[in-house]
Amino acid sequence: MTEDRHAHETKSHAVAEKTKEIRKGQRWDVDYNKLVISVGCYVQTFGTKGVKEHAYFLKDIGDARRIRKRILELFEMGSLPTTSHEMKKRLLRFAVVGGGPTGMEFAAELSDLVHMDLRKIYPDLVSTVEIIVFDVAPRVLSMFDKSLGDYAMKIYKREGINIKTSYHVEELRPGSPKGAQVQNFREDNEPESCYTITTKEEGDIGIGMCVWSTGNMMNPLVQKTTSKTHQLPPSSLRLIPSESPTPDENCTWTIDRNEKTGALLVDSKFRLQLTQSLSSQSKSDNLSTPGACLANVFALGDNASLRNHVLPATAQTANQQARWLAKHLNSDTRSLDDCPGFNFKDMGVMTYLGDAKALVQAPGGQKGLGRWFKGLRGRAAWLVWRGAYLGLSVSWRNRVLIPIYW
């Protein structure tokens, strides 16, 4: 495994060396006509000890590469003749925290990888592999209809995926559980050869890796932006209501954000919402409604939230928002003030279950198509799931290559 080049230094010396390596880049101002804030979110760890340092996440290509590298490392370590059977069980025990579509899809894909591909290379290790999903909720895939969710549980059980609901993860740390036997393995030289996940219900459990997928938290840029007051020229504002008197040039504004998620509050045209903060008295009078919106500053995606409507934090939401905003910003015939607001079109929910099976829930829930048709499941849903992702590929080149890789 790749070793940290500071591993053999004292703690104080390593901190001093790493501080020297951190260089702040140059900063400069950039003028703009339109600004779109779409910085996304970070993974929500709920402050669980050790998660930020030792867990694997599912956010970008870099995360995917680290996960792939770690999986191959674990099978290589498990295949060594010096590795004891107990250590093999710990190394090849994979923990997934989070029972939403992302976490469950990863567990299903990992099961397919083990039983379809790695079985050919490590046939003696497949029977030792264990995949565990931890979730704090009483059931996984709670956004799906109960009948579809029950079908998913049967498939996961058949695939050997162990789902533990109503579990509370308290800590993740490197090394084996306390008191575990580690003979025949040089864990003293490689403390991160395995990890220990601690749950409130079962205590310490030895694992090879932990993939964390428990929702989103706001990007620090959004948190810093909303914590400051800003002095803005009246020409950049759209007052709410429009007949309100023009504010004084010296007044300051704060950017509104969702009280629950911390996301930037926007109107139906994705313009940032503001609250006037002239004084403590006027601020208290304007807490319930924004005083204005920024005419040329927009926010969309996971870091934005419509004031009176909650949208799902999915790719289809961000895609529709981006297309709507791009279309109207590029329009030469109508100004944004004259355009109707954004209208979200629910396309349904999909997730992969493993072994060429999937779930597809009809859009609209009880108010739409879901009143008569709950959705698809099994092989038919898998074909729809693959077809949908293939159709959303950005180029014809990808649409040709992706089925080849599949």
Side-chain angles (χ1 to χ4, degrees):
M1 292 187 294
T2 305
E3 186 178 28
D4 185 351
R5 67 188 190 85
H6 298 288
H8 302 293
E9 300 173 356
T10 63
K11 186 175 181 180
S12 59
H13 188 263
V15 170
E17 286 294 318
K18 289 183 178 181
T19 302
K20 291 180 182 178
E21 295 171 4
I22 299 174
R23 297 180 180 179
K24 291 185 178 180
Q26 296 181 348
R27 296 185 179 185
W28 62 91
D29 295 331
V30 178
D31 296 330
Y32 64 87
N33 294 322
K34 311 286 184 182
L35 174 65
V36 180
I37 302 173
S38 185
V39 295
C41 289
Y42 285 11
V43 177
Q44 177 65 270
T45 64
F46 303 100
T48 307
K49 186 177 179 181
V51 169
K52 186 177 179 180
E53 296 81 6
H54 306 300
Y56 292 79
F57 302 105
L58 293 165
K59 272 299 192 182
D60 52 41
I61 295 298
D63 292 333
R65 288 172 176 164
R66 284 188 287 273
I67 289 173
R68 180 181 64 180
K69 179 175 179 289
R70 179 61 178 173
I71 292 172
L72 295 178
E73 284 176 349
L74 292 171
F75 274 85
E76 283 295 306
M77 287 189 289
S79 65
L80 294 174
T82 56
T83 305
S84 67
H85 180 68
E86 287 301 317
M87 179 56 76
K88 285 182 182 180
K89 290 174 65 176
R90 286 193 286 272
L91 291 173
L92 299 178
R93 183 179 293 126
F94 298 89
V96 181
V97 181
T102 303
M104 300 309 297
E105 275 196 12
F106 174 79
E109 293 282 8
L110 178 60
S111 177
D112 284 356
L113 175 67
V114 170
H115 293 96
M116 295 181 183
D117 298 309
L118 296 179
R119 175 187 292 275
K120 303 172 186 176
I121 307 172
Y122 308 97
D124 297 334
L125 296 180
V126 172
S127 60
T128 312
V129 174
E130 182 181 7
I131 302 172
I132 307 175
V133 178
F134 298 98
D135 194 62
V136 70
R139 61 183 286 251
V140 298
L141 299 176
S142 57
M143 68 290 302
F144 285 88
D145 181 78
K146 189 176 185 303
S147 61
L148 296 176
D150 291 342
Y151 172 80
M153 293 295 291
K154 293 179 182 178
I155 298 298
Y156 292 135
K157 185 176 181 180
R158 189 183 306 165
E159 291 293 306
I161 299 174
N162 188 3
I163 298 176
K164 299 189 176 185
T165 55
S166 300
Y167 266 63
H168 302 78
V169 177
E170 297 179 334
E171 183 184 3
L172 178 66
R173 65 177 186 273
S176 295
K178 295 177 181 178
Q181 297 180 354
V182 295
Q183 68 267 22
N184 300 327
F185 198 85
R186 299 181 63 186
E187 192 177 346
D188 54 338
N189 293 333
E190 296 183 77
E192 294 189 3
S193 58
C194 68
Y195 296 88
T196 296
I197 187 170
T198 303
T199 65
K200 180 179 178 181
E201 289 72 19
E202 287 191 29
D204 291 349
I205 303 173
I207 60 174
M209 69 182 295
C210 173
V211 176
W212 194 273
S213 177
T214 57
N216 297 328
M217 66 177 291
M218 280 303 112
N219 189 297
L221 173 65
V222 173
Q223 296 175 343
K224 292 177 182 178
T225 301
T226 55
S227 64
K228 299 178 181 179
T229 58
H230 307 269
Q231 191 169 342
L232 303 167
S235 60
S236 67
L237 304 174
R238 295 292 183 272
L239 299 178
I240 303 174
S242 58
E243 61 270 13
S244 299
T246 303
D248 187 271
E249 291 187 0
N250 296 322
C251 76
T252 56
W253 302 84
T254 57
I255 299 174
D256 286 355
R257 64 176 181 177
N258 187 295
E259 293 183 359
K260 183 178 180 180
T261 65
L264 300 169
L265 276 181
V266 297
D267 63 6
S268 62
K269 300 171 185 178
F270 306 115
R271 298 176 294 192
L272 256 61
Q273 303 281 277
L274 305 172
T275 296
Q276 191 173 338
S277 55
L278 278 171
S279 63
S280 58
Q281 179 63 38
S282 63
K283 185 175 181 179
S284 64
D285 294 339
N286 288 283
L287 280 177
S288 58
T289 57
C293 65
L294 275 170
N296 296 316
V297 180
F298 310 88
L300 49 79
D302 291 340
N303 58 212
S305 174
L306 294 175
R307 176 171 288 278
N308 299 318
H309 189 52
V310 179
L311 298 178
T314 58
Q316 63 169 303
T317 302
N319 179 273
Q320 291 184 37
Q321 290 176 344
R323 288 178 179 274
W324 185 94
L325 186 58
K327 175 183 175 181
H328 288 88
L329 290 182
N330 290 326
S331 175
D332 296 327
T333 58
R334 302 175 66 183
S335 69
L336 197 63
D337 292 330
D338 300 328
C339 295
F342 171 76
N343 184 33
F344 175 67
K345 183 179 180 181
D346 185 6
M347 303 297 290
V349 188
M350 300 183 293
T351 192
Y352 181 60
L353 304 178
D355 192 28
K357 295 179 178 64
L359 292 181
V360 175
Q361 181 162 287
Q366 294 300 320
K367 297 180 180 179
L369 185 60
R371 285 181 294 177
W372 302 282
F373 176 64
K374 298 300 182 183
L376 295 175
R377 63 186 188 182
R379 194 64 57 90
W382 173 76
L383 292 173
V384 173
W385 176 78
R386 285 211 160 177
Y389 280 100
L390 188 62
L392 291 172
S393 299
V394 296
S395 67
W396 280 105
R397 178 177 180 272
N398 285 352
R399 291 170 187 169
V400 172
L401 290 177
I402 289 175
I404 296 174
Y405 293 138
W406 278 344

